[in-house]
Amino acid sequence: MKIPVENIVELTVEHQFLQAYPILSQLRTDLTLKEYLDLLNDMRKEGKQLFALYHDTSIVALAGISWREDSYNERYVYVQDLVTDVNHRPSGLGYNLLSYIHNWAKKQGAEYITLEA
């Protein structure tokens, strides 16, 4: 029996963004591919980032993040979108991705992370 390999990476190039679209469209069902790519361009110019959890070679979970600062001058990471592919719920993959982002953010100097549902 083959054990699936999980890998989490920040998406930075167009072929990765295209691979992520079917997963994000499960959360944002009205978003066309063109609107998605335009939105990603705008988001990246503003410093926002997109992380993906790969299960073998397929993206199965996504999280969009941005850096913010609160009224106490503490930097934190705001998770804007968190979605797990419908075929992989409830497997804990979304939790794995969120845990990764939490640890990554702490190493980058974040005081905390926050997520709105």
Side-chain angles (χ1 to χ4, degrees), residues 102-115:
H102 180 260
N103 292 328
W104 173 86
K106 289 287 189 181
K107 289 178 186 174
Q108 304 300 315
E111 296 295 324
Y112 57 93
I113 69 168
T114 186
L115 167 72

Side-chain angles (χ1 to χ4, degrees), residues 2-16:
K2 183 181 173 196
I3 298 173
V5 176
E6 287 183 18
N7 188 30
I8 299 173
V9 297
E10 179 183 355
L11 304 184
T12 58
V13 293
E14 187 169 349
H15 78 271
Q16 292 173 319

Side-chain angles (χ1 to χ4, degrees), residues 71-117:
S71 59
Y72 299 105
N73 295 319
E74 294 180 328
R75 289 185 72 221
Y76 67 96
V77 166
Y78 174 67
V79 180
Q80 295 168 284
D81 295 308
L82 179 63
V83 61
T84 300
D85 180 68
V86 68
N87 298 314
H88 293 275
R89 297 177 199 157
S91 61
L93 296 172
Y95 175 82
N96 293 351
L97 179 56
L98 197 55
S99 293
Y100 173 89
I101 290 171
H102 180 260
N103 292 328
W104 173 86
K106 289 287 189 181
K107 289 178 186 174
Q108 304 300 315
E111 296 295 324
Y112 57 93
I113 69 168
T114 186
L115 167 72
E116 284 186 22

